[in-house]
Amino acid sequence: QVQLVESGGGMVQPGGSLRLSCAASGRTFSNYAMGWYRQAPGKQRELVARISTAGTTNYAASVKGRFTVSRDNAKNTVYLQMNGLKPEDTAVYYCNKALNPLDAWGQGTLVTVSS
């Protein structure tokens, strides 16, 4: 059974930073491009960052230059470093495959950006 466990969320002031982690178990994710998604209240889930198996990264325009995605295949873990956080970044953040996401999403981790 595949499990995705996100962690690292919290409440920060605008301009602050957080580092999210996503640990995958039950399957080796080194063979897959991985993505970080977020879902804000009342909005659809969106892909904000992705990293290929070779380490190539892509970002949504709204987070480019502020967020950095990385992966540690030995630990089956994907990270999202978030700097310069804005109130509009407030959302529940999830990780999953970047293409054809697994049906079983993790519980996500809540990021709240507020003064």
Side-chain angles (χ1 to χ4, degrees):
Q1 184 177 0
V2 175
Q3 283 189 316
L4 299 166
V5 180
E6 300 91 350
S7 62
M11 178 178 287
V12 295
Q13 293 185 341
S17 299
L18 283 173
R19 189 193 194 206
L20 307 183
S21 298
C22 170
S25 61
R27 177 177 286 185
T28 301
F29 277 85
S30 60
N31 293 331
Y32 301 98
M34 293 297 294
W36 279 98
Y37 301 75
R38 68 184 181 188
Q39 187 166 21
K43 295 187 177 181
Q44 289 190 333
R45 190 175 291 164
E46 61 172 342
L47 177 65
V48 297
R50 59 168 286 169
I51 184 166
S52 72
T53 56
T56 301
T57 58
N58 298 94
Y59 301 93
S62 57
V63 306
K64 194 171 186 179
R66 300 187 297 120
F67 290 12
T68 302
V69 59
S70 60
R71 65 193 300 164
D72 185 337
N73 291 332
K75 296 182 179 179
N76 265 13
T77 301
V78 181
Y79 304 98
L80 186 67
Q81 177 67 43
M82 306 187 295
N83 299 327
L85 283 162
K86 304 176 181 180
E88 51 264 43
D89 295 319
T90 294
V92 179
Y93 285 72
Y94 303 86
C95 71
N96 208 320
K97 292 169 60 183
L99 296 174
N100 301 316
L102 299 171
D103 290 336
W105 292 77
Q107 83 289 346
T109 187
L110 176 63
V111 173
T112 303
V113 185
S114 175
S115 56

